[in-house]
């Protein structure tokens, strides 16, 4: 009887270990092979305005409306806004703090005030916080063809 109980516990524990390493795929099916850390992307971009890339990083925030964008930490307190090619897929809204791999096109862009306010609204910011957005923002952005969310 002890052997049966011990075997059952070991099997249950192994299922729990496997569940923790599962990943979910969104958009084009990609692999993590060859992904660079998000902290290296700015350096690799150098003076380019765009560059194809596969990047791994930690999610800082996600669109609270429907998962239509996310921000990934790039280091030094900075983030990179990730949107999804042709608005063709979304990510779960509960992935803040999770590691993701994104594959697509990294770009240096200037985001207009109207778009920044829209993003702030999607993120659940207050009307006062939204009203403080008065200047366009030059930043590193990413248009992903595919995303892997590590659980």
């Amino acid at each position: 009887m002890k052997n049966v109980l011990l075997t059952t516990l070991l099997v249950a524990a192994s299922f729990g270990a496997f569940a923790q390493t599962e990943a979910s795929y969104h958009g084009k099916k990609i692999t993590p092979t060859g992904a660079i850390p998000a902290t290296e992307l700015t350096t690799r971009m150098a003076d380019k305005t765009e560059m194809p890339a596969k990047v791994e990083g930690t999610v800082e925030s996600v669109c609270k409306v429907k998962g239509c964008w996310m921000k990934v930490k790039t280091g030094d307190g900075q983030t990179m806004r990730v949107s999804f090619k042709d608005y063709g897929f979304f990510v779960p809204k509960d992935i803040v703090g999770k590691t993701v791999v994104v594959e697509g096109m990294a770009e240096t862009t200037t985001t207009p005030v109207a778009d920044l306010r829209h993003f702030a609204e999607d993120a659940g910011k207050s009307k006062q916080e939204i009203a403080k957005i008065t200047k366009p923002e030059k930043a590193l952005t990413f248009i992903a063809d595919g995303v892997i969310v590590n659980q």
Side-chain angles (χ1 to χ4, degrees), residues 41-93:
L41 185 58
T42 303
T43 303
R44 298 237 184 148
M45 286 279 295
D47 58 350
K48 300 177 186 91
T49 57
E50 65 179 27
M51 176 182 90
K54 186 184 291 189
V55 178
E56 181 177 46
T58 303
V59 177
E60 187 265 341
S61 62
V62 179
C63 171
K64 294 183 187 294
V65 176
K66 57 184 163 185
C68 53
W69 53 261
M70 65 182 165
K71 287 187 176 181
V72 174
K73 296 177 184 178
T74 57
D76 295 333
Q78 301 296 308
T79 59
M80 167 179 67
R81 177 175 300 283
V82 178
S83 58
F84 311 111
K85 186 168 184 170
D86 299 327
Y87 213 56
F89 63 96
F90 305 116
V91 294
K93 297 182 284 186

Side-chain angles (χ1 to χ4, degrees), residues 8-50:
T8 303
L9 288 173
L10 288 173
V11 169
S14 68
F15 281 129
F18 287 121
Q20 291 175 3
T21 60
E22 287 182 18
S24 60
Y25 298 83
H26 307 276
K28 177 181 147 187
K29 182 92 175 197
I30 63 171
T31 68
T33 305
I36 62 168
T39 55
E40 293 179 15
L41 185 58
T42 303
T43 303
R44 298 237 184 148
M45 286 279 295
D47 58 350
K48 300 177 186 91
T49 57
E50 65 179 27

Side-chain angles (χ1 to χ4, degrees), residues 85-148:
K85 186 168 184 170
D86 299 327
Y87 213 56
F89 63 96
F90 305 116
V91 294
K93 297 182 284 186
D94 62 349
I95 61 171
V96 171
K98 299 205 179 199
T99 301
V100 294
V101 174
V102 295
E103 183 174 351
M105 187 66 68
E107 302 176 330
T108 302
T109 60
T110 301
T111 307
V113 171
D115 289 350
L116 292 171
R117 287 182 173 178
H118 175 79
F119 297 148
E121 186 178 325
D122 284 352
K125 300 289 184 184
S126 71
K127 290 184 188 255
Q128 294 80 11
E129 289 173 297
I130 294 169
K132 291 179 182 177
I133 300 170
T134 59
K135 295 180 182 175
E137 177 182 88
K138 185 175 180 180
L140 182 61
T141 59
F142 199 94
I143 300 174
D145 297 320
V147 177
I148 301 170

